[in-house]
Amino acid sequence: MDWQPERRRPLGFFLAADTHRGAAQLACHPEPFATLVRKTHPAGTRFMPFHFLLTSGITFAADEEYLELRFRVLNSLMLVGLLSTGLFIGLDWTGINSLGHRQLAATQANLLLTALLMVALRNRKQLLRPISTTFILVNLMTYTSALIWVTNDELRVLWFHLAVMFSCVLLGSRSGLTMTALSIGLILMAQPLMAPPFTPNALTTLIISLLVTGFGAFTYTRRSESAFERLRMSNIELRALASRDPLTGLLNPRAFGDIANQLIRISQRKGQTASMLFIDLDHFKHINDQYGHATGDVVLRAVAQELGNHTRKSDVLGRIGGEEFLFFLPDTTADSAREVAEKLRLAIQAMRISLADDTQIQVSASIGVSQSLPTDSTISALQRRADQAMYLAKAQGRNRVAG
């Protein structure tokens, strides 16, 4: 393939100062950090069947804690709804708690719809919000019919308070306020149809108590949403920091290996070749000895920046220690990789790194090139061959490409 440089950050590259953007780039990569995605039913748990029932066996990413919580709450509520609705139906059939024919039919419809919603939610976390909304509306209609038809139950209005609270948890704080207003509206609409209706004092107390419940649920849910968001961002940043070289912001050896190993396996499955560049700065020890390690750090950061400016978004760039960098190029032949290496070598050679006293430092690099073989299932052999090619470039006089 012909290699065309794009002035975009490579996979795994970001400046250390740009933590949020770098964390977001890391979080968006779908493959290398499989360990960051956890199963919701870990092997060996004592309560795996119940756990599986609440989560449908769905895999939630590490930054989906709040989504998983709402998913669990919805499944729990639907399960409890099935049990409680079935209990009311059973008590009506036994004559212990009569609902009346119309409310019994409404309760049976609620049972059927809840069961269908629970089935529809299985393995479909993207349907969480519409199913949550439908579930709450179905129950609000059932509660409203109970207001009209079950006049011998003085405490039936308590269900509206539960609906308001769970609306906030399942749909979010603002939607919870909407459901509060809807509940009050349904109660006012049902008032003329009730026999007897609520007294003015009872109706006032009911509406005020619903407003208090709605506001309390709104406040608690809003704080919970904020706390989960802060936790999610903190986790992303911690994972990013754990995978980065703190000096240059490039991937550290372990993270580089994780990503490159996955990409080389993908290349092997597709029958594509991949290449690797082993980049070593020339006479870097001399820079440290003459100017100090602080200046050496400045040089390393500048070189990392320059390498990142000359790579494609599909490439993987990491610092493996000292003045050594690894560059993995998917779907790239050795000839194309040598062109890349030569452009990088010239870019490094053209750098002039200015110090505080206006001193300018010029650096160069020796670059080894290797191409993957059909037998390479990991990057180990590919990296070793690139390392050997880099030493060949050193032996030939430095500041050149070999391999």
Side-chain angles (χ1 to χ4, degrees):
M1 60 168 283
D2 293 330
W3 183 88
Q4 295 296 328
E6 303 177 53
R7 293 192 62 82
R8 299 182 64 175
R9 295 289 185 258
L11 180 62
F13 177 86
F14 80 101
L15 293 179
D18 199 352
T19 305
H20 285 285
R21 184 182 59 165
Q25 289 175 345
L26 174 65
C28 290
H29 194 280
E31 292 222 17
F33 294 98
T35 55
L36 302 184
V37 179
R38 54 189 173 85
K39 298 289 184 179
T40 60
H41 52 288
T45 179
R46 293 175 57 190
F47 305 102
M48 186 166 64
F50 185 68
H51 189 92
F52 185 85
L53 180 64
L54 296 185
T55 61
S56 305
I58 291 178
T59 299
F60 289 90
D63 60 345
E64 292 181 323
E65 290 95 342
Y66 197 65
L67 175 64
E68 181 181 357
L69 171 65
R70 289 188 293 156
F71 197 91
R72 284 166 166 265
V73 169
L74 177 58
N75 266 317
S76 300
L77 288 177
M78 289 194 294
L79 182 60
V80 171
L82 289 174
L83 295 175
S84 60
T85 305
L87 180 60
F88 272 112
I89 294 172
L91 291 174
D92 179 85
W93 286 346
T94 61
I96 297 176
N97 185 68
S98 177
L99 298 175
H101 294 298
R102 289 178 294 185
Q103 185 60 27
L104 177 61
T107 305
Q108 290 170 334
N110 183 297
L111 180 69
L112 177 61
L113 289 172
T114 300
L116 291 175
L117 290 173
M118 199 166 186
V119 171
L121 187 62
R122 310 308 291 176
N123 299 313
R124 298 183 183 92
K125 63 182 178 181
Q126 71 276 12
L127 296 181
L128 175 65
R129 187 171 186 84
I131 289 180
S132 297
T133 303
T134 304
F135 175 69
I136 291 172
L137 290 176
V138 166
N139 281 278
L140 281 177
M141 294 300 103
T142 306
Y143 304 156
T144 304
S145 65
L147 280 181
I148 300 171
W149 294 329
V150 192
T151 56
N152 59 337
D153 184 355
E154 296 85 356
L155 298 179
R156 60 195 184 279
V157 294
L158 294 178
W159 294 105
F160 285 92
H161 291 81
L162 294 177
V164 166
M165 289 189 291
F166 290 123
S167 295
C168 284
V169 175
L170 294 175
L171 301 176
S173 51
R174 293 183 179 179
S175 297
L177 290 181
T178 301
M179 287 299 175
T180 301
L182 178 60
S183 298
I184 293 174
L186 290 173
I187 291 172
L188 293 176
M189 291 173 58
Q191 172 77 351
L193 305 175
M194 295 168 55
F198 291 121
T199 65
N201 286 346
L203 187 61
T204 301
T205 299
L206 176 57
I207 291 176
I208 292 176
S209 65
L210 279 173
L211 290 173
V212 172
T213 301
F215 179 75
F218 169 84
T219 303
Y220 182 82
T221 304
R222 194 68 176 266
R223 293 295 298 270
S224 298
E225 290 169 345
S226 176
F228 268 102
E229 180 62 19
R230 290 196 302 270
L231 178 63
R232 186 183 70 86
M233 291 306 302
S234 296
N235 286 339
I236 290 175
E237 291 178 9
L238 286 174
R239 288 193 296 273
L241 292 173
S243 66
R244 300 290 172 176
D245 167 47
L247 177 63
T248 62
L250 301 181
L251 291 172
N252 61 29
R254 180 176 179 178
F256 177 90
D258 286 344
I259 298 176
N261 277 323
Q262 292 198 40
L263 291 180
I264 197 171
R265 285 192 287 268
I266 293 173
S267 296
Q268 298 288 29
R269 287 198 298 268
K270 293 182 177 181
Q272 299 172 342
T273 58
S275 296
M276 181 174 288
L277 309 182
F278 197 116
I279 305 169
D280 186 278
L281 301 185
D282 298 325
H283 302 296
F284 186 74
K285 184 178 183 301
H286 174 71
I287 294 176
N288 277 335
D289 292 342
Q290 182 174 352
Y291 299 101
H293 289 278
T295 298
D297 291 346
V298 172
V299 171
L300 290 173
R301 282 193 291 266
V303 171
Q305 173 79 61
E306 191 66 23
L307 291 174
N309 287 337
H310 289 80
T311 54
R312 305 168 300 179
K313 61 180 180 180
S314 59
D315 300 331
V316 185
L317 176 60
R319 179 188 176 211
I320 61 170
E323 68 274 23
E324 297 175 334
F325 303 87
L326 280 180
F327 208 149
F328 183 83
L329 299 93
D331 192 20
T332 306
T333 63
D335 289 339
S336 296
R338 278 188 283 271
E339 295 178 13
V340 175
E342 182 61 21
K343 290 177 181 179
L344 293 176
R345 185 191 68 80
L346 292 174
I348 294 173
Q349 178 181 278
M351 293 176 62
R352 298 296 184 271
I353 302 169
S354 299
L355 304 182
D357 60 357
D358 294 330
T359 301
Q360 288 192 332
I361 298 178
Q362 183 177 4
V363 293
S364 64
S366 300
I367 305 176
V369 180
S370 65
Q371 178 180 302
S372 64
L373 301 176
T375 56
D376 291 337
S377 59
T378 68
I379 63 168
S380 298
L382 181 65
Q383 179 177 335
R384 184 171 59 253
R385 294 193 297 270
D387 187 18
Q388 293 169 349
M390 182 273 295
Y391 277 108
L392 178 60
K394 295 279 190 185
Q396 293 174 348
R398 294 183 168 84
N399 192 22
R400 64 192 63 223
V401 175

